[in-house]
Amino acid sequence: LTAKVNPPNGTGSVAFSANGSALGSANVAGGVATINWVPASTGNFTLKAVYSGGGGVAGATATNSVTVTQPLKADVISLNPAGAAGPWPVGSTQGLANGANVQFGVSSASGLPVTLSVVGPCSMSGNTLNVNGVGGPCTLTASTPGGNGYAPTNQTYQVVTGVGTQSAAVNPAASGLYRVGAKLLLAPTTAKTNLGQSINWSVTSGGKSCKIKRTGGNVKVNLVKKGSCQVTGSAPAVPGQWAAFTTGRTYTVR
């Protein structure tokens, strides 16, 4: 509590009270007298400051009213990634690969709406976190606006981003035993990875038994001689951002 004396050259002291109960007094210095008050209960209080006068300044009295309420509670926000065993701990650091998408279920102890925001090489689509590159970390913030007896609350999480995994919707013929003359489908010639990179198919061993052919819009492997071969589909890495894509099959020709 602060009482100001005008003119500020006054001396003396100020006695403070609340609803008639003395709170303490303080000497005037530089035209100001201050004490600390910690209310023992909630409710309406009439505060009074009585200046003793001094230094050629007459005494005076001032009053004010204040309502003391319960302190606002800190909200607790729960951030639950889909498919995870439990929520992310507040302030935790999580690792996610480039290209990852994590959908969160969010709730708060207050029942107030939760807003998610992020800075760094990530973005938010509703409650889904998208990792858009490597070079983080990303800082994810979950917020509630305050209300219902709760204070506005911010909880933060760090996301360390890592090299992503390229993928492709291809399903080459299964590894196994086949007869000479079989022509096995590997993928359409237009198949690409999730980065839009073309897939290169090659026979990496056993080239006398298997031959790659591109025909009719498809990539196939022709089994031309008894033996075995390994066939690999690959796309190059994007340094520092995406790992190389690779998939392989082993065929035995009889």
Side-chain angles (χ1 to χ4, degrees):
L1 302 177
T2 298
K4 294 183 178 180
V5 175
N6 190 34
N9 61 329
T11 59
S13 63
V14 175
F16 296 88
S17 64
N19 288 350
S21 297
L23 300 177
S25 62
N27 292 328
V28 176
V32 173
T34 300
I35 67 167
N36 292 323
W37 174 47
V38 179
S41 63
T42 61
N44 298 318
F45 293 85
T46 298
L47 303 177
K48 181 183 288 187
V50 179
Y51 172 49
S52 64
V57 179
T61 299
T63 60
N64 207 338
S65 297
V66 65
T67 299
V68 177
T69 61
Q70 290 287 350
L72 295 176
K73 294 178 286 187
D75 209 347
V76 178
I77 301 170
S78 182
L79 195 64
N80 293 280
W88 281 5
V90 178
S92 63
T93 298
Q94 306 290 331
L96 293 174
N98 190 8
N101 302 295
V102 180
Q103 184 175 9
F104 294 104
V106 294
S107 61
S108 64
S110 64
L112 294 167
V114 178
T115 300
L116 300 180
S117 60
V118 69
V119 295
C122 301
S123 62
M124 295 299 307
S125 299
N127 287 341
T128 299
L129 173 68
N130 309 299
V131 181
N132 302 322
V134 178
C138 301
T139 300
L140 174 64
T141 302
S143 305
T144 51
N148 300 338
Y150 288 85
T153 300
N154 294 315
Q155 294 179 185
T156 60
Y157 310 80
Q158 295 295 311
V159 178
V160 177
T161 58
V163 173
T165 300
Q166 284 192 75
S167 61
V170 294
N171 187 26
S175 297
L177 183 65
Y178 295 88
R179 292 186 180 277
V180 171
K183 298 179 180 181
L184 307 180
L185 176 64
L186 297 175
T189 55
T190 56
K192 297 182 183 297
T193 71
N194 60 316
L195 300 186
Q197 297 201 96
S198 297
I199 301 172
N200 178 56
W201 295 94
S202 62
V203 178
T204 53
S205 68
K208 292 183 179 180
S209 297
C210 304
K211 303 293 182 182
I212 299 294
K213 297 293 182 182
R214 291 168 175 80
T215 179
N218 291 312
V219 181
K220 296 183 177 182
V221 57
N222 294 349
L223 309 185
V224 297
K225 185 178 180 180
K226 290 182 179 181
S228 65
C229 65
Q230 290 185 332
V231 175
T232 300
S234 63
V238 178
Q241 298 290 326
W242 296 90
F245 169 79
T246 183
T247 186
R249 296 290 189 270
T250 299
Y251 301 118
T252 300
V253 187
R254 66 176 183 180

